[in-house]
């Protein structure tokens, strides 16, 4: 389904704006997307500084790298290929976060501290 949406079996002309107005609107839309990705990246910086695990920080940075590579893609097919690479680092990040949270909860219990829940 995604492949057809991103160009499998379609000519490049199907994705080229047919007028200068459409071209300008396309450029403005991409600029807004890039700005939103930049804002999200800036919002992550405080989160990264609070992470207690270098392993989680590394996994988060890997995921961010894949998203940026996707955004920097020059063609829709390259963007699709890069976007398909997001699943693995995303899943690894969530697995690591779950494991680290579990470790912190176990440490908290061993210290006799009350549960945060």
């Amino acid at each position: 389904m995604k492949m057809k949406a991103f160009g499998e079996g379609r000519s490049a002309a199907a994705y080229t704006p047919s007028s200068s107005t459409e071209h300008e609107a396309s450029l403005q839309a991409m600029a807004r997307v890039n700005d939103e990705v930049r804002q999200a990246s800036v919002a992550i910086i405080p989160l990264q500084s609070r992470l207690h695990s270098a392993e989680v920080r590394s996994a988060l940075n890997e995921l961010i790298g894949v998203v940026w590579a996707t955004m920097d893609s020059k063609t829709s097919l390259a963007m699709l290929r890069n976007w398909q690479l997001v699943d693995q680092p995303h899943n690894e990040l969530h697995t690591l976060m779950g494991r680290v949270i579990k470790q912190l909860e176990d440490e908290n219990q061993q210290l006799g501290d009350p549960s945060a829940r």
Side-chain angles (χ1 to χ4, degrees):
M1 199 60 112
K2 287 183 185 177
M3 290 295 277
K4 290 190 183 218
F6 279 146
E8 187 174 287
R10 298 189 72 181
S11 69
Y15 300 98
T16 305
S18 61
S19 70
S20 62
T21 305
E22 286 180 2
H23 181 69
E24 184 61 32
S26 174
L27 291 176
Q28 288 177 358
M30 277 309 294
R32 284 191 302 271
V33 168
N34 284 334
D35 187 50
E36 288 180 16
V37 170
R38 275 190 214 83
Q39 288 176 14
S41 294
V42 168
I44 289 174
I45 291 170
L47 172 67
Q48 287 176 316
S49 68
R50 296 189 64 192
L51 293 174
H52 297 283
S53 166
E55 195 176 16
V56 171
R57 232 182 347 267
S58 175
L60 177 60
N61 288 336
E62 185 177 332
L63 177 58
I64 291 168
V66 172
V67 171
W68 274 113
T70 300
M71 295 304 298
D72 288 340
S73 298
K74 301 300 180 213
T75 66
S76 58
L77 249 105
M79 183 177 267
L80 173 64
R81 286 187 194 116
N82 285 334
W83 187 249
Q84 289 174 337
L85 299 175
V86 168
D87 286 343
Q88 181 182 355
H90 177 263
N91 292 340
E92 287 175 10
L93 174 62
H94 281 274
T95 299
L96 285 169
M97 287 180 1
R99 192 176 74 229
V100 169
I101 289 169
K102 175 77 170 109
Q103 288 171 347
L104 290 171
E105 287 173 345
D106 291 347
E107 288 174 15
N108 191 39
Q109 263 187 343
Q110 287 176 356
L111 293 171
D113 291 338
S115 175
R117 291 183 186 172

